[in-house]
Amino acid sequence: TLERRRLSRLSKLSSRLLDEFLKERLVRSLSLDGLKKAASSTTWGVDGSCQLLKGFDDCWFAFLSAARVYMPEGIYGDIIAKVGGWIEPIRTPEDREASKKATLIMMRMEIEQMRNVSREADTIAAEKAYLVIDGPIVDPPWLTDENYIAERVKVINECLSKGIIVIGFVKRPFGRLFLSYARENIDEHGIIDNYTSDISLLSPLMYMAMREKRTKLVMTSPLEMSAANEVSPAYRRYEDEGLRVHYCYYKFGFRRRVYRLEIAGLDDLTEKEILRTFADAVRTLAGLTPPGVEYPLPVLLAHNKCNIRRGAAETLYYEIITRALAQDTTLAWLSL
């Protein structure tokens, strides 16, 4: 079939690119030594969740939640979860606008959980600690509101000042950050033009690198976000606030996908120190990902703790409406 031929062609192209990427150290193999120690690192996971339901007239109801998971000894100790929830009525005729307002409220709840991480860090004496956010550092990438960005940057800096390494774990990395960099700096024959995204390029490439290097853990060299032309509109605002972000992609195990890992606030480090920080972080996340599990536990647990299923949100909504009707206060409720 046509698709089979296309995949076969991409596989051959990836094989041609692999030697160049390994030679330039743009793709690196990592030893699994020290994985057990890395898995004992003090770690927090933070995530938010939102379900938006249409009510009467132009009123929407946002069911919101944000969670933080604290693992003081990584996978070898207790797991402490804290969850906050909220129901917010939103008045607007546009579903897109309602979604944006709900997302902003959820992200502010997530910021508060990150602030709580900063406070909890005062009570620990860990050699190294991580805060893993489920999603990118610049989140959401379309939001350029100055007050929100200033608030998010402030709390990230608070965590950094406590010695916490702030990581953004991107499960579904869209875009062409890495691809654009490789096209400009590595590709002399236009081979990379055959790929459409970072994942289409790196999935076969990193799989082949794992086989060639006989390892189950590979990563790309860390790059700064601003080195690419295709950063989100909000990223420049974060830079204006003094926060810069580096990223890499990594793959752990033949059957798992490729993920993007972002780390904030490394711009004062040397290139060697940045590489070491990323290699340690990749090993830590790999160590925190048990066999048969797709994501690192801080990400998976925070997501599961805060996740609001649509059926549960609908049940709550109907309960609210039923009580309002029973008390004949529907109009009062909708005017909130």
Side-chain angles (χ1 to χ4, degrees):
T1 66
L2 188 63
E3 180 64 11
R4 182 180 297 174
R5 290 176 190 167
R6 186 185 73 85
L7 293 174
S8 176
R9 181 168 173 270
L10 286 179
S11 178
K12 292 177 182 177
L13 292 174
S14 297
S15 182
R16 289 175 59 185
L17 285 172
L18 180 60
D19 289 340
E20 189 68 18
F21 275 51
L22 290 174
K23 177 184 174 183
E24 296 294 329
R25 305 303 302 276
L26 201 55
V27 171
R28 300 167 179 265
S29 62
L30 294 178
S31 168
L32 298 182
D33 294 341
L35 220 60
K36 185 174 180 179
K37 181 180 179 181
S40 66
S41 299
T42 298
T43 311
W44 287 269
V46 167
D47 192 18
S49 178
C50 174
Q51 285 287 352
L52 190 64
L53 297 180
K54 183 74 167 68
F56 295 107
D57 197 19
D58 291 332
C59 190
W60 302 75
F61 293 90
F63 295 80
L64 306 145
S65 178
R68 74 182 183 280
V69 172
Y70 178 35
M71 305 171 67
E73 299 176 58
I75 64 174
Y76 301 109
D78 295 334
I79 297 174
I80 303 165
K82 301 289 184 180
V83 184
W86 187 252
I87 302 174
E88 181 75 14
I90 298 173
R91 276 198 166 278
T92 179
E94 296 290 335
D95 56 348
R96 184 177 299 179
E97 185 64 22
S99 178
K100 285 186 175 182
K101 288 183 177 181
T103 299
L104 180 55
I105 298 168
M106 180 193 73
M107 296 308 301
R108 290 191 184 279
M109 292 173 65
E110 190 175 290
I111 286 174
E112 188 57 36
Q113 293 288 17
M114 293 163 63
R115 186 171 288 112
N116 288 330
V117 168
S118 174
R119 292 169 182 151
E120 289 173 351
D122 291 329
T123 64
I124 68 168
E127 178 182 343
K128 187 177 293 183
Y130 294 92
L131 164 58
V132 187
I133 304 167
D134 188 352
I137 299 289
V138 178
D139 195 19
W142 47 262
L143 185 60
T144 57
D145 179 80
E146 293 182 3
N147 293 330
Y148 167 79
I149 290 174
E151 185 181 0
R152 188 170 173 90
V153 170
K154 180 181 178 182
V155 76
I156 289 173
N157 283 328
E158 287 174 3
C159 291
L160 295 176
S161 70
K162 306 290 178 65
I164 300 171
I165 297 170
V166 180
I167 295 174
F169 180 82
V170 186
K171 298 174 183 173
R172 300 175 185 84
F174 301 105
R176 300 182 292 180
L177 291 170
F178 184 86
L179 186 147
S180 298
Y181 177 88
R183 179 189 292 122
E184 295 174 10
N185 295 275
I186 300 295
D187 188 22
E188 297 180 358
H189 308 289
I191 296 177
I192 291 178
D193 290 336
N194 292 278
Y195 299 88
T196 58
S197 67
D198 289 352
I199 295 305
S200 69
L201 171 66
L202 288 172
S203 288
L205 202 68
M206 298 183 94
Y207 180 87
M208 292 176 181
M210 290 168 66
R211 293 187 61 126
E212 179 164 324
K213 294 297 181 179
R214 299 180 182 275
T215 184
K216 292 184 179 180
L217 185 60
V218 293
M219 62 176 281
T220 62
S221 290
L223 299 170
E224 190 174 348
M225 282 282 186
S226 59
N229 296 322
E230 302 189 22
V231 295
S232 69
Y235 182 71
R236 302 303 178 191
R237 296 287 182 91
Y238 279 74
E239 278 191 322
D240 292 341
E241 289 289 332
L243 189 75
R244 288 157 65 184
V245 179
H246 288 74
Y247 73 96
C248 81
Y249 287 88
Y250 83 94
K251 181 175 173 64
F252 175 48
F254 289 102
R255 296 188 178 184
R256 292 191 183 96
R257 297 198 296 262
V258 175
Y259 304 115
R260 188 168 75 234
L261 187 156
E262 303 176 359
I263 301 182
L266 301 182
D267 37 293
D268 290 334
L269 302 184
T270 65
E271 185 175 328
K272 187 176 182 180
E273 289 171 333
I274 291 173
L275 176 59
R276 187 188 309 121
T277 300
F278 268 89
D280 289 346
V282 167
R283 284 194 183 93
T284 298
L285 293 187
L288 291 169
T289 310
V293 175
E294 186 70 23
Y295 308 123
L297 284 181
V299 173
L300 180 67
L301 293 174
H303 176 80
N304 287 345
K305 289 296 181 181
C306 75
N307 187 36
I308 303 173
R309 299 187 183 277
R310 188 164 186 85
E314 289 172 343
T315 300
L316 284 171
Y317 170 73
Y318 290 127
E319 180 70 19
I320 291 168
I321 296 302
T322 299
R323 290 189 180 187
L325 288 170
Q327 298 173 16
D328 196 24
T329 58
T330 306
L331 293 178
W333 169 254
L334 291 177
S335 66
L336 288 175

